Amino acid sequence: MKSLFVEYKPFLVFLAKFLLFYIFFTFLYQVYLSRFDTAQNEIDEISISVANQTKVLLTFFGHEATILKNPNDPSLKILYKGKYVSRMIEGCNAVSVIILFAAFVFAFSVKLKRTFVYIIIGAFVIHVLNVVRIALLTYALYYYPEYESVLHGAVFPLFIYGVVFLLWVLWVMKFSGYDKRS
């Protein structure tokens, strides 16, 4: 039994670090979300901020965009050129994706300072690309509404998770310092 633990110790340490980080920060995020009454259609500030940043990005490129609170559910309507094309819900703000990203980086870390800096930079990159993703999705849904299920269900999730995967690979191959351990 002891030899199995010794043999799989690196994996078990990785798994324990990942799970502890992921559970802790998911719990904190759920505590944050519990402040908002979804029965009253309250929307969290992070989602509102992401929606407003999406609007800023669309208008920066000369596109008419408006964000309206949805009276029927806890979401924000994104109007593009005056037409309601998409809605922003809590799951669109990428916080859960950032927590998943950070948990992996933390679990595969050696030096705490380098890990913290990479998590901050990676979270920023994911956030910015998520805003770009929502803006592009809004634009695409305006012109190609018949492809909504493919765009929303496959293309754009692949975009954001593809970026996370590349950040993980970059972390492991270049920055983690894990390969230099003895």
Side-chain angles (χ1 to χ4, degrees), residues 97-98 100-101 126 159-169:
V97 174
I98 291 169
L100 180 67
F101 159 78
I126 293 167
F159 174 76
I160 200 72
Y161 286 111
V163 167
V164 170
F165 180 75
L166 291 175
L167 287 170
W168 283 342
V169 169

Side-chain angles (χ1 to χ4, degrees), residues 8 14 24 33 52 61-62 65 75 96 98 100 105 107 121 153 155 162 175 179:
Y8 294 109
F14 169 86
F24 178 74
L33 289 176
N52 285 324
F61 287 105
S75 67
S96 296
I98 291 169
L100 180 67
V105 171
I121 292 169
V155 173
F175 299 111
D179 61 341

Side-chain angles (χ1 to χ4, degrees), residues 6-101:
V6 171
E7 184 178 349
Y8 294 109
K9 183 180 177 185
F11 171 74
L12 294 173
V13 169
F14 169 86
L15 190 60
K17 287 171 66 176
F18 177 87
L19 288 173
L20 289 172
F21 188 101
Y22 185 79
I23 290 167
F24 178 74
F25 282 96
T26 298
F27 172 77
L28 286 181
Y29 183 52
Q30 292 305 315
V31 168
Y32 163 77
L33 289 176
S34 71
R35 297 178 22 217
F36 304 95
D37 186 357
T38 54
Q40 297 297 318
N41 296 332
E42 290 183 357
I43 304 155
D44 67 282
E45 289 103 353
I46 297 170
S47 297
I48 292 169
S49 177
V50 170
N52 285 324
Q53 290 168 22
T54 301
K55 174 189 170 190
V56 167
L57 181 62
L58 286 167
T59 56
F60 177 79
F61 287 105
H63 304 284
E64 178 191 336
T66 308
I67 305 296
L68 299 174
K69 188 174 186 297
N70 192 338
N72 302 321
D73 60 39
S75 67
L76 298 161
K77 293 181 177 183
I78 302 176
L79 283 69
Y80 183 76
K81 296 186 178 183
K83 180 182 176 188
Y84 172 36
V85 237
S86 60
R87 71 185 180 115
M88 170 82 188
I89 61 171
E90 176 273 323
C92 300
N93 66 22
V95 171
S96 296
V97 174
I98 291 169
I99 292 170
L100 180 67
F101 159 78

Side-chain angles (χ1 to χ4, degrees), residues 101-102 105-123 167 170-181:
F101 159 78
V105 171
F106 178 76
F108 217 98
S109 65
V110 175
K111 296 182 180 179
L112 199 54
K113 183 180 177 184
R114 182 185 300 177
T115 302
F116 180 72
V117 169
Y118 193 82
I119 287 172
I120 296 297
I121 292 169
L167 287 170
L170 184 63
W171 171 249
V172 171
M173 302 299 282
K174 297 287 183 189
F175 299 111
S176 71
Y178 197 79
D179 61 341
K180 295 172 181 70
R181 289 177 63 182

